[in-house]
Amino acid sequence: MHVHVGIPQAMLYHEFGSLWADFFRYADIPVSISGETNKQILDRGTLLGIDESCLPLKVYLGHVDSLLSECTHIFVPRVVQYHRNFLFCAKFAGLPDVVRNTFRLSPEQIISPNVEYKSSVNQLQSLYTTCQAIGLSAVPGYLAYRRALKSWRADVPGDIGSSTPKIAVIGHSYLLKDAFFCGNIMNFLASRGVQVITPNHVARKVLYDEAKVFEPDIYWQLSAKIAGAAHYFCRQPDIAGIIMVSSFGCGPDSLVNEYVEHHVFKKSDKPYIIINIDEHMGSAGLITRIEAFWDLVEWRQKY
Amino acid sequence: MIITFPHMGDMSIALKALFTGLGRQVVLPPPISKRTLELGMKYSPETTCLPFKVNLGNFIEALEQGANTIVTCGGVGPCRLGYYAEIQQGILQNLGYRFDMIVVEPDIVDIIKQLHRVAFKRNFWEVYLAFRLALAKINAMDSIQRKVNMIRPREVSVGESDFIWRQTVDVIDAAENLSTLRTAWHKAESELDGVKLKSSVRPLRIGVVGEIYVMLEPSINQNIDWRLGNMGVEVYKTMYLSDYINGHLFRKREYLEKFKYLADLAHPYLGHYVGGHGIKSIAHTVNMGQENYDGIIHMFPFTCMPEIVAKNILPKVSNDVDIPVLSLAFDEQSGEAGIVTRLEAFIDLLKYRRLKHHLA
């Protein structure tokens, strides 16, 4: 059976992508990553997705679309729950179904292991589903998974140095790591000689420990990570300001931003700004706001 | 302790009976108005879903009128509902209101615990009686509403069934014990049975699926049952408050079996629970397609997470089971004309389809 797996470089790829891609590589399965988001992918996704969808979901569909011509299988895991105390956004639980029904694919064309608990049984089940879908036998599959998991765990964020000032940019990884969404912000900060720190530069464990303050109020895992990061950065003396990025139509963000603003930002003395991005990519409005924010940060540092 | 709670359709009638029965004073939030929406919009996060904003508006208006205890519901995710109370409390405190908030989790043990906490000098039997009366009111109202929805497109003198309904609601609201309630209920049913119907009409049948709040709250959904009924459509709403209570709280067997059946119907399209009513929206669409309904109206609040998953999938379902689906997202801007125009166009389409089938 000819197998060519495609992984959309969007949504949870930015959290777990290296694990997934390494697994297929170690198992000697041809795998393609859809590549960076661009205007074409966004436009295609906007067309395919329903109007009310959040921006990342639309972009995800654009990525899937760009893979369909060359790949036989698309890897869309159903990530429901990963940690006992947390859930993922409802859209991740329905993602394989959304992809399948939008593109009218047959169930065989989609590899969608269920990730529901962090137990080893569930890991093996998901692994088995994946192997079945691509006709890979269990033993090499398991070995490939072990190897991929090991290198994923070894990938701890390095120290980013201590030159000042630093600006923390927080938000979902699928926005921060996607240059199409946050490139403008990052470039602007770089041009002013500012060092940018994101939640991905901090060990995951530190962030989730920080987030324990908010349990059980925040039950989405990625939101807990963001709230944890906000809590962490607000207490670091070398952070000069915080930029919070979220996307229009994001369900969890709509409430968590309010919560974080109320419980974390307003109680600290750090300057902060919350930026909402959508599919209208005009950069002037964005840059103006970041410039104004930067002026404030500089002014704060002087006086 | 002066209690208030958010509006959702006719729920306030039952909750008023419940808390009054528990010996507490109740302040109903004023009926949802433009001002309610404006207050809610002004103080809510911009992109949160509509029920959050309307609830918040209800709370502010009720607190202004002297309520000091808010009873509202909790939840467990992944939908946003479970997070409402926490955020709303923060916003109201910021506005300077002083109040207690009682968050009732949607399971029967927690409800009994919280009721006991609220009850004022009432023994267990009296708490039970209050609870039973409230439930009976919900069941009575839902049963009559179902019947009215069937009669409305068929009645000879337009508005007769609605007249009976409005009168009965007042009696049910005033009923202080089960026997008065039952008498009113039976009277309404027999009056409705006596309504003169046009004999030759075979009205279009439309199923309404989607999110419970917009489905039940007429001020938000532009009174859609009534509108469709007057356009000559028999409306079948897939969810009433009593369905939710019997299924999710009491876990009655017939409801659990039905839910299992629905989950199986939805499975080829949506293989996992996505919170809220996402799976049911898909399942009922399949089910009603098989039962030869003429069309489906899918309604949800703008940005509702579970229903967005459902809406992404519905075009495929609609195609497979051959039933037209009209999706309506409601936000605080929903003007009457926009909704009416879309309903009219949809009904024209359904009539045309029926004609085509008839000729073929």
Side-chain angles (χ1 to χ4, degrees):
Chain A
M1 174 170 79
H2 169 65
V3 175
H4 187 150
V5 177
I7 307 182
Q9 187 175 334
M11 295 275 230
L12 291 182
Y13 176 85
H14 296 289
E15 295 279 341
F16 307 108
S18 63
L19 172 70
W20 301 340
D22 280 351
F23 165 75
F24 291 111
R25 280 192 203 112
Y26 292 145
D28 278 333
I29 304 283
V31 57
S32 296
I33 315 291
S34 58
E36 296 285 329
T37 309
N38 53 38
K39 183 82 172 64
Q40 200 190 347
I41 285 182
L42 174 73
D43 287 348
R44 200 62 199 129
T46 313
L47 203 67
L48 287 162
I50 62 158
D51 304 341
E52 291 87 355
S53 300
C54 57
L55 181 62
L57 182 58
K58 291 179 184 172
V59 169
Y60 191 91
L61 294 176
H63 278 277
V64 173
D65 187 59
S66 73
L67 285 167
L68 282 175
S69 57
E70 57 167 332
C71 299
T72 56
H73 294 72
I74 307 289
F75 184 69
V76 192
R78 188 194 300 281
V79 185
V80 182
Q81 192 169 17
Y82 170 71
H83 186 284
R84 195 159 43 88
N85 299 346
F86 295 116
L87 292 165
F88 278 81
C89 163
K91 285 170 196 160
F92 294 120
L95 196 55
D97 301 304
V98 170
V99 170
R100 192 157 47 85
N101 289 296
T102 303
F103 294 98
R104 317 267 156 126
L105 301 176
S106 71
E108 293 80 39
Q109 283 172 281
I110 297 222
I111 311 171
S112 60
N114 279 9
V115 180
E116 298 208 50
Y117 324 95
K118 205 188 176 178
S119 71
S120 32
V121 177
N122 183 254
Q123 284 184 44
L124 289 178
Q125 275 171 349
S126 321
L127 185 63
Y128 182 72
T129 320
T130 312
C131 291
Q132 282 276 303
I134 51 177
L136 181 70
S137 52
V139 176
Y142 181 69
L143 293 177
Y145 177 67
R146 283 294 298 271
R147 245 179 98 191
L149 195 62
K150 210 172 151 195
S151 48
W152 188 64
R153 283 196 179 134
D155 183 25
V156 231
D159 198 15
I160 61 157
S162 57
S163 77
T164 47
K166 271 187 211 153
I167 293 277
V169 182
I170 56 183
H172 288 283
S173 301
Y174 46 74
L175 297 177
L176 300 187
K177 286 192 185 170
D178 199 324
F180 192 67
F181 296 131
C182 285
N184 281 330
I185 300 175
M186 303 297 186
N187 291 341
F188 172 80
L189 293 173
S191 74
R192 301 291 156 109
V194 187
Q195 192 150 30
V196 173
I197 182 165
T198 69
N200 300 314
H201 294 114
V202 184
R204 285 184 281 264
K205 186 162 183 318
V206 175
L207 298 181
Y208 288 122
D209 283 346
E210 292 279 338
K212 287 215 171 93
V213 194
F214 308 117
E215 273 179 56
D217 291 347
I218 298 182
Y219 46 69
W220 298 288
Q221 181 166 345
L222 298 178
S223 302
K225 194 175 161 189
I226 290 172
H231 196 239
Y232 175 77
F233 288 134
C234 276
R235 289 188 290 108
Q236 306 300 314
D238 58 337
I239 302 288
I242 298 177
I243 299 176
M244 191 152 177
V245 183
S246 66
S247 59
F248 180 78
C250 176
D253 278 3
S254 68
L255 295 184
V256 172
N257 287 358
E258 173 81 19
Y259 183 90
V260 169
E261 200 176 347
H262 184 71
H263 288 267
V264 183
F265 290 150
K266 286 199 173 148
K267 287 182 183 163
S268 80
D269 57 347
K270 303 269 188 222
Y272 68 91
I273 182 172
I274 298 180
I275 301 261
N276 252 307
I277 49 180
D278 60 17
E279 50 269 73
H280 305 288
M281 301 308 286
S283 61
L286 187 67
I287 297 294
T288 311
R289 273 180 289 167
I290 299 290
E291 276 174 353
F293 175 68
W294 177 241
D295 286 347
L296 171 74
V297 173
E298 278 194 319
W299 187 81
R300 277 279 185 96
Q301 292 208 311
K302 275 185 210 146
Y303 305 103
Chain B
M1 192 185 266
I2 304 170
I3 288 183
T4 191
F5 38 78
H7 274 302
M8 180 167 91
D10 302 306
M11 185 175 77
S12 60
I13 290 176
L15 289 183
K16 192 173 103 189
L18 176 65
F19 292 117
T20 322
L22 295 177
R24 292 294 178 185
Q25 200 185 334
V26 172
V27 168
L28 286 184
I32 296 170
S33 62
K34 205 157 174 248
R35 178 165 185 267
T36 319
L37 274 170
E38 276 166 7
L39 285 171
M41 265 152 60
K42 187 168 169 192
Y43 298 115
S44 303
E46 184 193 352
T47 56
T48 185
C49 37
L50 186 62
F52 183 100
K53 299 179 183 177
V54 187
N55 286 176
L56 190 71
N58 285 154
F59 294 155
I60 292 176
E61 287 187 315
L63 291 172
E64 280 172 353
Q65 299 202 352
N68 62 14
T69 306
I70 295 173
V71 179
T72 187
C73 68
V76 285
C79 150
R80 271 175 284 189
L81 178 66
Y83 204 20
Y84 274 20
E86 177 66 35
I87 306 284
Q88 285 167 337
Q89 194 169 12
I91 293 172
L92 291 172
Q93 280 166 350
N94 259 2
L95 291 175
Y97 291 106
R98 302 179 69 110
F99 61 95
D100 282 325
M101 198 170 220
I102 297 176
V103 183
V104 184
E105 297 300 325
D107 79 278
I108 192 77
V109 181
D110 191 67
I111 289 180
I112 291 171
K113 223 163 66 189
Q114 300 284 16
L115 283 185
H116 205 73
R117 198 180 132 199
V118 172
F120 179 69
K121 289 187 184 164
R122 290 291 193 275
N123 61 31
F124 188 77
W125 177 245
E126 285 165 320
V127 172
Y128 170 74
L129 282 183
F131 194 54
R132 197 174 66 168
L133 180 65
L135 286 179
K137 286 191 177 185
I138 294 175
N139 285 332
M141 286 187 295
D142 288 354
S143 149
I144 298 169
Q145 269 188 316
R146 277 202 186 92
K147 203 159 193 168
V148 171
N149 279 343
M150 302 293 276
I151 294 172
R152 213 179 266 134
R154 295 182 169 89
E155 63 198 357
V156 175
S157 62
V158 175
E160 198 179 345
S161 57
D162 277 302
F163 179 73
I164 299 171
W165 161 243
R166 274 195 305 275
Q167 272 186 333
T168 315
V169 170
D170 292 340
V171 182
I172 290 180
D173 190 15
E176 282 176 353
N177 53 46
L178 271 184
S179 61
T180 7
L181 174 67
R182 284 205 184 115
T183 321
W185 183 357
H186 292 148
K187 182 166 163 269
E189 296 258 353
S190 63
E191 277 176 3
L192 285 174
D193 287 336
V195 172
K196 247 181 124 184
L197 302 182
K198 300 176 212 162
S199 53
S200 58
V201 195
R202 200 165 68 86
L204 290 171
R205 285 201 304 164
I206 292 185
V208 178
V209 303
E211 197 273 341
I212 189 166
Y213 186 85
V214 293
M215 212 189 285
L216 294 188
E217 181 48 61
S219 64
I220 297 302
N221 66 27
Q222 310 285 338
N223 216 343
I224 201 160
D225 318 11
W226 174 82
R227 269 181 211 287
L228 286 170
N230 287 340
M231 291 172 176
V233 175
E234 184 186 314
V235 183
Y236 183 80
K237 282 209 272 191
T238 53
M239 214 167 339
Y240 284 93
L241 193 55
S242 51
D243 296 330
Y244 182 83
I245 291 172
N246 289 326
H248 290 258
L249 294 183
F250 296 123
R251 314 193 70 77
K252 285 194 179 161
R253 209 165 100 213
E254 53 185 294
Y255 283 90
L256 291 184
E257 273 165 11
K258 183 154 181 234
F259 187 69
K260 172 87 186 39
Y261 171 71
L262 289 174
D264 287 344
L265 278 183
H267 196 265
Y269 300 99
L270 178 57
H272 200 280
Y273 179 67
V274 290
H277 317 287
I279 279 204
K280 281 187 211 152
S281 298
I282 305 274
H284 280 300
T285 306
V286 178
N287 191 21
M288 290 170 154
Q290 290 168 348
E291 287 179 2
N292 288 322
Y293 275 71
D294 292 284
I296 300 286
I297 292 180
H298 173 227
M299 46 166 72
F300 58 96
F302 180 61
T303 76
C304 172
M305 294 149 64
E307 296 302 332
I308 282 178
V309 174
K311 193 188 164 186
N312 267 297
I313 297 169
L314 277 175
K316 177 80 170 17
V317 182
S318 162
N319 197 31
D320 286 2
V321 291
D322 192 27
I323 185 166
V325 177
L326 172 70
S327 275
L328 296 174
F330 288 87
D331 66 7
E332 52 270 41
Q333 315 283 347
S334 294
E336 184 187 330
I339 297 289
V340 173
T341 312
R342 275 181 282 174
L343 290 181
E344 283 170 352
F346 188 59
I347 289 170
D348 282 349
L349 169 88
L350 299 185
K351 279 185 185 154
Y352 173 72
R353 268 173 62 99
R354 199 180 247 192
L355 191 69
K356 213 170 66 176
H357 279 286
H358 190 67
L359 294 177

